[in-house]
Amino acid sequence: MSMNMVVWTNCNERIVDMSISRLFAIIKKEFIQIKRDKPSLVISIIMPLAMLFLFGYAVSTEVDHIPMAVFDQSKTQESRGFIDAYRNSLYFNPDYYVNNMD
């Protein structure tokens, strides 16, 4: 039983009819070529590892100390306590107080 992959364009025109065995043959050929060419081996193995380590230390997904504007219409004790809870958190800084929605 042969499984075929078919790639279609936007206008439903058939481009490639590729079997799985043909795909594996191309992958095998590329690995043989990389094994023969040592600079390609360095580029294909060492460079992604280097980028993985660099991005692992350089990229931070922590979100903290976001400046925010506060529009306190009621100006009650509860609303001030709510604003203070934001002020005491590590994530938000209510730095700006506005008098209207504009």
Side-chain angles (χ1 to χ4, degrees):
M1 179 180 207
S2 174
M3 292 179 56
N4 289 335
M5 291 187 298
V6 178
V7 179
W8 298 85
T9 64
N10 288 341
C11 60
N12 292 333
E13 180 182 332
R14 190 171 164 179
I15 295 178
V16 176
D17 183 9
M18 183 183 299
S19 67
I20 298 295
S21 62
R22 185 173 176 189
L23 177 67
F24 286 138
I26 292 171
I27 292 171
K28 181 180 175 183
K29 177 191 72 97
E30 289 300 321
F31 275 113
I32 290 170
Q33 184 63 30
I34 288 172
K35 195 169 101 174
R36 288 181 188 162
D37 187 24
K38 297 301 179 191
S40 294
L41 181 66
V42 170
I43 290 172
S44 64
I45 293 175
I46 303 300
M47 290 300 291
L49 288 175
M51 287 191 300
L52 180 71
F53 286 117
L54 285 174
F55 287 135
Y57 287 109
V59 175
S60 174
T61 58
E62 292 183 25
V63 179
D64 53 354
H65 301 293
I66 299 170
M68 64 182 258
V70 175
F71 178 39
D72 187 9
Q73 285 182 312
S74 64
K75 295 185 178 22
T76 61
Q77 185 68 27
E78 290 85 12
S79 67
R80 285 191 293 272
F82 189 67
I83 294 168
D84 287 338
Y86 272 108
R87 185 176 292 115
N88 293 332
S89 74
L90 297 175
Y91 302 110
F92 298 101
N93 290 341
D95 294 333
Y96 309 103
Y97 292 91
V98 294
N99 295 324
N100 56 24
M101 295 275 281
D102 296 329

